[in-house]
Amino acid sequence: MIIGYYLAMAVLALVLSGIYLLKWNKHFDVYYSAIYMLIPFLNAGYYFIATAKDVGEAITATKITYLGGCYLLPFIMMSIFSLCKIRIPRMLSFSLASLSTLVYISALTIGHAKIFYREVSIEISEGITTIKKSYGPMHSLFYPMIMLYFAISIVTIIWGLYKKKEAPAKSLILLLITEFVSIVVFFFGRNLGENIQWIPAAYLFDGICYLFIIDRLSLYDIGSAVGETLVEHGE
């Protein structure tokens, strides 16, 4: 059942990405394309953890999943800036990217050094593999970094709703819902069930919501283009 859940999350994420790539990838910011490229890999990573036969396989899959906190969340944050027509200073963008990269490079040391995980092992129960670990010093940056990205995203959405009248309100509200769902899953997901990660479901939910948002944006762009054409012709 649980293995089937992880497999379904990975396959459905791939389907969503296929829909996006076939229909919209050339018409929107690179952030949207990055989101739909990452989600299938992340969900596949959770599937590979659950089906890992040894510690090495589990560690490799775990490194894939850390792409979510380190890069997917920043891409989502940047897409929110784009939707709200906000340009952030290059230095701030560089600083956030450097922070994510530093944390992810630390995650890549899992199994080789005690920087990110001090100890790591696996437990296989009823055919499902779970990772048992103790955190190293660099992991102390991971959750504050995630909280920072969530906080910036939520503040930006709320600011966009009240101050940026040109930003589509329904899309921003939908984004706000995805942010709160992600927060609940990231920080309280372990209380929702033992030996199962709900993060893949949250990623899939994000992907579905973004398809609706992108569809609305495409309709908005078409409407704007038609309006500009009518104005040019004096109609």
Side-chain angles (χ1 to χ4, degrees):
M1 179 73 74
I2 293 178
I3 296 295
Y5 155 74
Y6 285 121
L7 180 60
M9 294 299 99
V11 171
L12 290 174
L14 188 61
V15 171
L16 288 181
S17 296
I19 293 171
Y20 169 78
L21 291 172
L22 289 173
K23 192 170 182 180
W24 291 301
N25 73 305
K26 295 181 180 179
H27 305 287
F28 289 98
D29 287 337
V30 66
Y31 309 121
Y32 297 108
S33 297
I35 289 168
Y36 281 101
M37 287 178 63
L38 278 173
I39 290 177
F41 282 106
L42 297 172
N43 283 8
Y46 285 99
Y47 170 76
F48 291 137
I49 291 174
T51 57
K53 302 303 180 185
D54 55 51
V55 175
E57 290 182 8
I59 287 175
T60 299
T62 297
K63 293 174 182 178
I64 294 174
T65 64
Y66 273 104
L67 286 167
C70 293
Y71 292 108
L72 180 63
L73 294 185
F75 281 131
I76 289 175
M77 180 188 70
M78 296 302 293
S79 73
I80 293 170
F81 286 144
S82 176
L83 188 64
C84 293
K85 313 297 183 185
I86 297 172
R87 293 195 177 196
I88 65 172
R90 288 186 178 182
M91 184 55 66
L92 176 58
S93 179
F94 176 78
S95 298
L96 294 174
S98 298
L99 173 62
S100 289
T101 300
L102 175 64
V103 173
Y104 189 67
I105 289 174
S106 301
L108 293 177
T109 68
I110 297 173
H112 302 287
K114 297 184 178 182
I115 297 173
F116 203 75
Y117 283 1
R118 293 184 186 276
E119 304 290 340
V120 58
S121 61
I122 62 171
E123 180 179 289
I124 301 177
S125 176
E126 298 181 357
I128 303 165
T129 301
T130 55
I131 289 186
K132 306 298 179 181
K133 70 270 188 182
S134 60
Y135 296 130
M138 281 302 296
H139 196 278
S140 61
L141 288 176
F142 182 68
Y143 284 116
M145 180 185 71
I146 288 177
M147 292 172 66
L148 175 65
Y149 288 138
F150 278 134
I152 293 175
S153 297
I154 290 172
V155 169
T156 302
I157 292 170
I158 294 174
W159 186 83
L161 283 169
Y162 285 96
K163 298 293 185 180
K164 286 287 204 176
K165 300 304 180 182
E166 69 271 25
K170 291 182 179 179
S171 295
L172 290 176
I173 292 172
L174 189 56
L175 279 175
L176 194 61
I177 293 172
T178 66
E179 289 295 310
F180 281 119
V181 168
S182 296
I183 288 172
V184 170
V185 171
F186 264 95
F187 296 107
F188 305 104
R190 293 179 182 177
N191 299 324
L192 301 177
E194 295 182 1
N195 299 327
I196 186 169
Q197 287 276 4
W198 294 104
I199 294 176
Y203 288 155
L204 187 69
F205 178 71
D206 289 348
I208 293 171
C209 290
Y210 263 88
L211 284 184
F212 282 109
I213 291 170
I214 292 169
D215 187 56
R216 290 184 63 86
L217 289 176
S218 65
L219 292 175
Y220 176 81
D221 290 341
I222 292 172
S224 298
V226 171
E228 291 174 1
T229 301
L230 293 175
V231 170
E232 289 176 1
H233 289 79
E235 297 181 17

